[in-house]
Amino acid sequence: MIVGLLFGLLFLLIALGLPIALSIGLPAIGLMLTPGVFPATVPIPALGQTIIQLLFAGVDSFDLLAVPLFMLAGAIMETGGISRQLIDFSDSLVGWVPGGLACACIVASMFFAGISGSAAADTAAIGAIVIPAMIRQGYPAGFAAAVVAAGGAIGVIIPPSIPMVIFGFLTNVSIAKLFAGGMMVGILFGVNFMLVAVWISWRRGYGLRQSFSPARLWKSLKEAVWAIGAPVIVLGGILSGIVTVTEAAALAVFYALFVSMVLNRELKWNQLPGLILRSQITAATILFIIAMAKVFTWLVAMKQTSQLLGTLVAALSLPPWGLLLLVMAVLLVVGCVMETTAALILLVPVLAALTPQMGVDPVQFGVLMVINLAVGMLTPPVGICLFVSCTIAGVGLGQISRAALPLILSAFVALLVACFWPPLTLWIPSLIYP
Amino acid sequence: MELLQTISRGINHAIEKLLLLIGASICIILFAQVLFRYAGASLGWSEEVSRHLLVAITFLGGTAAYKRASFIGLKGIGHRLGPTIQAGITIALQLLTLALFGVIAWFGAVYTLKAWEHTSSALLIPMSIPFAVIPIAALILVVHVLADITQTLGRKRP
């Protein structure tokens, strides 16, 4: 009853246009203080104290510190010429195939994903350069924007990944293992997207053909070697256990600063305060959701929702694979209509308890959940990658959504492979952490 | 009315300066943490300080995000129902938001005073200091929301 009211108010407030963080916090805090929700023996001041403690505990975490830091690293890389170098290198590597620039965009997004943890940052950094170039080469604006958005969604699958940090924080699953688990899936997504882009470009004659030039490849490799080195250092540092995820995020900031300011000389000192401030505020919008959601999920947990859901699932008596498919379908729908972080935070505490019944490893489930939400970033009405990309390209949401459809379908295929072939997510973690 | 908006802008200006300082400090503290650990002299305080600074980013950054209208959300269905209903919805949501931050400010202040006796594990400072961020941020948000409400009302009158 209370839980139904909680979710009902949440969706109502979001529909009325209240920001998500407040739409989560308002019903949760409001209902906690409503007489009758808790027994009269619990005094209101005690509940007030609980609210404040929950808000604090929701974000009092060393792991979550990685969120603003990975955002800052991405912002510095974008401003400091690193994304341009990655695109040049990718273009000389794969630009000779049909739809070459579209492929190059996805390869560059994958490299960028190796240091940035956010799909929106990935989309913005690559899209700002690639979309105008693709339009100049004769690609339709909607298609260019869709390819960039798809590449951007890989940003949260290939580590580092902010949603994986949040999943690990909420479930105590090792964030480093989640990162290791995301690598092969991320590459599979990239290859899938490239195949679709090549096929469509070849069929419809999009883009210009250029010949492969070893000399250009060598030149762009020399220029991009520091940019390509960034993922090696960040991921290598985390997976070898030299630094924690959060420390790696801080190192990523300094590495990006070194490349942008000392080597490329494209980032000026006076630009730095703006970047720091912007990334702090962007991070705060996510962290604020996390803090508010802590109160919300606490109230949901107090009302024994997980047990209820467990009983309900047992009553369905689905086989493990059926339950897994059902959960994935629910996640996809939620990912379409809700913002990623909010969806993750509200669903993880409830769904992670079902992993034994689904017959999946918690690491695999974490990666699956992040993939699902990544697909959600590509689907209207609430897809952050689509939003960022269509703003850059100047096309409407409808146009980009139609162009993105084949890419979304290929993402479904990759998602199903990840669901039913565990080595895709678990093989690399098992190699690194035997 | 004008005064309220001037105050709101002034506070936000100061908060953004503070956020810049906090962001830069976190990077430097964590970098130092790695350096000192491999130099064989781990810092005992760096993790706790950076965690508390993250709480500060969340709530103070939240006030700046509110001011810049960069909280994530949908456009809302109100704009399809005509300007009068839209204005009504906007005011209602602003009043609810005001109540939410008012409640957080009140309970936050009460708890912050109470937490004076608890000390943090590494620095041994009173927990009131990190907790104080919550009521302060909530109070700033109350000012921002009030400034917004006066703006909405001012827009409707002429």
Side-chain angles (χ1 to χ4, degrees):
Chain A
M1 174 60 196
I2 296 293
V3 174
L5 195 58
L6 206 51
F7 278 95
L9 286 172
L10 165 73
F11 289 118
L12 176 69
L13 290 170
I14 291 179
L16 287 176
L18 195 67
I20 291 175
L22 305 179
S23 302
I24 292 173
L26 200 56
I29 293 177
L31 280 176
M32 263 181 86
L33 299 174
T34 303
V37 172
F38 282 92
T41 44
V42 186
I44 293 290
L47 288 171
Q49 180 174 329
T50 309
I51 291 170
I52 302 302
Q53 285 169 335
L54 286 169
L55 286 174
F56 190 87
V59 288
D60 179 25
S61 146
F62 191 66
D63 289 339
L64 285 182
L65 256 173
V67 175
L69 293 170
F70 277 129
M71 285 185 171
L72 180 57
I76 294 172
M77 283 180 52
E78 186 189 337
T79 317
I82 296 178
S83 43
R84 189 180 37 73
Q85 289 169 331
L86 287 174
I87 293 166
D88 274 350
F89 170 68
S90 308
D91 191 40
S92 59
L93 190 69
V94 296
W96 50 274
V97 300
L101 194 53
C103 279
C105 156
I106 290 166
V107 173
S109 295
M110 287 162 74
F111 277 118
F112 201 87
I115 188 167
S116 139
S118 140
D122 204 352
T123 312
I126 302 294
I129 300 172
V130 164
I131 291 177
M134 282 180 78
I135 294 174
R136 271 199 304 277
Q137 281 202 10
Y139 291 90
F143 178 75
V147 169
V148 166
I154 304 176
V156 292
I157 305 175
I158 290 184
S161 156
I162 289 171
M164 285 182 191
V165 170
I166 296 173
F167 182 91
F169 163 69
L170 293 172
T171 56
N172 285 327
V173 172
S174 149
I175 297 171
K177 277 189 191 174
L178 290 167
F179 278 11
M183 281 183 181
M184 289 206 325
V185 193
I187 293 170
L188 176 68
F189 265 76
V191 171
N192 259 4
F193 288 154
M194 276 193 270
L195 289 176
V196 173
V198 168
W199 189 69
I200 292 178
S201 304
W202 177 67
R203 284 288 300 270
R204 301 188 188 163
Y206 291 165
L208 302 175
R209 294 292 291 273
Q210 53 182 18
S211 50
F212 179 73
S213 150
R216 182 176 166 225
L217 180 63
W218 175 242
K219 185 168 167 285
S220 65
L221 175 65
K222 272 194 299 188
E223 275 173 12
V225 70
W226 287 93
I228 298 169
V232 179
I233 291 175
V234 172
L235 293 180
I238 297 170
L239 298 178
S240 61
I242 295 175
V243 288
T244 63
V245 172
T246 303
E247 289 168 350
L251 292 184
V253 169
F254 283 96
Y255 186 87
L257 272 181
F258 174 70
V259 177
S260 307
M261 291 182 114
V262 180
L263 299 176
N264 292 355
R265 294 169 191 265
E266 289 194 26
L267 181 70
K268 304 280 173 284
W269 276 108
N270 58 10
Q271 289 173 295
L272 197 53
L275 292 181
I276 295 179
L277 186 60
R278 203 181 72 201
S279 55
Q280 304 298 304
I281 294 179
T282 316
T285 59
I286 289 184
L287 294 165
F288 213 79
I289 296 179
I290 299 180
M292 290 292 183
K294 181 83 178 177
V295 185
F296 190 99
T297 49
W298 181 83
L299 193 55
V300 170
M302 286 303 280
K303 296 293 165 189
Q304 268 91 35
T305 314
S306 297
Q307 288 90 322
L308 274 177
L309 193 77
T311 327
L312 188 73
V313 164
L316 285 175
S317 66
L318 286 169
W321 61 266
L323 182 60
L324 182 60
L325 275 186
L326 180 69
V327 169
M328 291 296 121
V330 169
L331 280 173
L332 276 176
V333 172
V334 174
C336 284
V337 295
M338 229 177 151
E339 194 273 333
T340 313
T341 318
L344 195 65
I345 300 161
L346 296 180
L347 290 176
V348 161
V350 183
L351 292 181
L354 295 177
T355 43
Q357 285 101 306
M358 286 184 275
V360 291
D361 185 271
V363 172
Q364 188 192 355
F365 184 68
V367 175
L368 288 176
M369 192 139 182
V370 171
I371 302 175
N372 255 301
L373 296 170
V375 177
M377 294 175 177
L378 267 182
T379 46
V382 187
I384 182 76
C385 292
L386 291 185
F387 291 166
V388 173
S389 189
C390 64
T391 312
I392 300 172
V395 296
L397 197 57
Q399 206 179 338
I400 186 177
S401 305
R402 271 191 300 280
L405 193 63
L407 295 159
I408 295 171
L409 291 178
S410 79
F412 283 162
V413 175
L415 173 62
L416 284 177
V417 174
C419 271
F420 294 108
W421 192 50
L424 186 67
T425 40
L426 298 178
W427 183 62
I428 292 189
S430 73
L431 281 185
I432 301 176
Y433 309 98
Chain B
M1 294 296 173
E2 280 293 305
L3 180 69
L4 203 53
Q5 296 188 16
T6 314
I7 295 174
S8 158
R9 271 197 301 272
I11 292 177
N12 190 51
H13 193 70
I15 290 295
E16 291 195 353
K17 287 267 177 323
L18 189 60
L19 279 172
L20 190 60
L21 189 69
I22 295 174
S25 318
I26 286 185
C27 293
I28 293 166
I29 290 173
L30 288 176
F31 193 70
Q33 172 172 321
V34 179
L35 280 186
F36 275 85
R37 188 170 68 236
Y38 282 95
S42 292
L43 301 175
W45 51 269
S46 57
E47 201 163 313
E48 184 182 297
V49 172
S50 39
R51 265 191 5 239
H52 292 164
L53 289 178
L54 184 73
V55 176
I57 290 180
T58 305
F59 291 99
L60 298 177
T63 71
Y66 180 86
K67 195 67 196 164
R68 292 185 172 205
S70 50
F71 270 140
I72 308 158
L74 299 185
K75 199 174 168 197
I77 49 173
H79 67 280
R80 294 191 187 158
L81 306 171
T84 323
I85 298 179
Q86 170 69 45
I89 292 176
T90 307
I91 283 287
L93 291 179
Q94 283 171 339
L95 288 174
L96 282 173
T97 309
L98 186 69
L100 174 70
F101 292 134
V103 165
I104 295 176
W106 169 253
F107 285 120
V110 171
Y111 187 65
T112 299
L113 294 176
K114 198 173 161 188
W116 190 258
E117 292 139 32
H118 304 283
T119 48
S120 70
S121 50
L123 287 178
L124 303 175
I125 53 165
M127 280 306 284
S128 293
I129 295 172
F131 268 112
V133 167
I134 296 180
I136 291 171
L139 206 59
I140 294 172
L141 282 162
V142 165
V143 175
H144 288 340
V145 179
L146 280 174
D148 272 6
I149 291 177
T150 57
Q151 207 176 15
T152 318
L153 290 175
R155 209 182 300 139
K156 224 172 70 175
R157 222 170 287 142

